[in-house]
Amino acid sequence: YGNWSFLGTDMHSHMIPGIDDGAQTMEDSIMLIQRLQAMGYRSAITTPHIKYDHYPNNSFNIQQGLHALQQALHERNINFPIRAAAEYYIDDHFMQLLEAGELMPIVDNQVLVEISFMFEPIRFDDILFRIQTKGYKPIMAHPERYAYYHGNLDAYRDLRDKGCHLQLNVLSLSGYYGRSVKMAAEQILAAGLYDYCGTDMHHVKHADNLQAMLQSGVIPLLQQYPFLNSRLQLA
């Protein structure tokens, strides 16, 4: 079925070296970007974790890392536009950044957020409301991976009704994260509730699985889906 070029720009990945659980070295980063490019991606907005207890990143060190990565690409004559945002774990630290208005958006005012895989945050409605009163729009990362929503399509509808965009981890559809996640992703997709599609690229195993997916019957389905990635094209 060809490649991922119909998405154009990837908007969820961990390709700045050495600052989270994604690429560890500059060589890792370069290799992952070359893999994405070979699969048809034309640009990327990479999203290091900001999760205070594990990855206490901030806009300064993320931009520093991005600049080093851009330099390395330039030195190797790899023409792949890349910029940085962040994947924010919703915790007290996030709420402080939100209050200060210091978030790094994917595009315009849209910020990529994730929540605990164990349980929904307490008073999550209030948090989503607060994000929006501060002038941001949340993009919920990989909603299909939160097991407590499984089997409840209304939970996903509810997130969208409360102003969230939903972002598919494309590997969820391959069964990479297990059968129940795959089923949830298929249901959300069939209901037309996704807005964005991301690789959530961390390492070579992700790249290999993305490559393998290109031989699967799911690609024509994704090609027809009106993902908003096309609006993210970087010059």
Side-chain angles (χ1 to χ4, degrees):
Y1 292 107
N3 56 41
W4 293 106
S5 60
F6 63 94
L7 287 172
T9 302
D10 185 39
M11 46 66 68
H12 184 173
S13 67
H14 300 269
M15 296 192 295
I16 292 176
I19 65 172
D20 65 6
D21 58 344
Q24 292 307 299
T25 67
M26 188 61 78
E27 292 312 312
D28 289 345
S29 302
I30 299 292
M31 176 271 297
L32 293 176
I33 285 167
Q34 287 180 309
R35 293 290 300 271
L36 281 180
Q37 195 170 36
M39 287 186 252
Y41 284 97
R42 290 185 290 280
S43 55
I45 300 160
T46 195
T47 52
H49 288 288
I50 295 185
K51 185 175 183 180
Y52 203 67
D53 291 346
H54 295 92
Y55 311 110
N57 292 312
N58 56 54
S59 56
F60 180 73
N61 82 306
I62 288 172
Q63 289 297 345
Q64 268 189 322
L66 173 69
H67 185 67
L69 178 53
Q70 289 168 331
Q71 282 294 110
L73 291 168
H74 181 69
E75 285 162 15
R76 290 165 174 78
N77 292 314
I78 297 168
N79 180 23
F80 189 82
I82 184 165
R83 59 184 181 79
E87 180 182 13
Y88 292 96
Y89 185 82
I90 292 181
D91 57 10
D92 291 342
H93 178 67
F94 169 78
M95 298 310 287
Q96 288 165 15
L97 293 174
L98 176 66
E99 289 305 312
E102 290 173 6
L103 302 182
M104 299 173 73
I106 297 286
V107 63
D108 302 329
N109 63 339
Q110 299 177 34
V111 292
L112 185 66
V113 298
E114 66 170 341
I115 53 180
S116 164
F117 287 120
M118 308 305 290
F119 44 78
E120 189 179 71
I122 295 162
R123 299 180 65 188
F124 193 34
D125 292 4
D126 295 350
I127 294 169
L128 293 176
F129 181 71
R130 189 83 197 126
I131 291 170
Q132 290 167 91
T133 57
K134 281 298 200 177
Y136 295 103
K137 184 174 180 76
I139 303 173
M140 173 66 74
H142 41 62
E144 70 279 354
R145 294 184 64 193
Y146 305 117
Y148 43 82
Y149 292 144
H150 287 178
N152 181 7
L153 208 51
D154 283 341
Y156 301 109
R157 288 201 180 93
D158 198 39
L159 286 170
R160 279 189 102 208
D161 290 345
K162 288 177 181 141
C164 279
H165 278 323
L166 303 185
Q167 175 250 310
L168 166 67
N169 266 15
V170 70
L171 287 179
S172 294
L173 290 170
S174 74
Y176 183 88
Y177 305 100
R179 186 160 161 266
S180 59
V181 171
K182 180 175 190 273
M183 285 172 62
E186 288 167 349
Q187 287 166 351
I188 300 166
L189 191 70
L193 298 176
Y194 282 120
D195 301 283
Y196 289 105
C197 186
T199 62
D200 203 359
M201 175 81 89
H202 281 69
H203 43 64
V204 69
K205 195 175 169 200
H206 286 161
D208 291 343
N209 278 273
L210 276 169
Q211 183 88 46
M213 269 189 89
L214 290 172
Q215 311 307 315
S216 79
V218 79
I219 299 300
L221 188 68
L222 292 174
Q223 282 172 329
Q224 290 158 20
Y225 192 93
F227 289 115
L228 300 178
N229 293 54
S230 55
R231 301 183 190 176
L232 303 176
Q233 199 59 35
L234 308 188

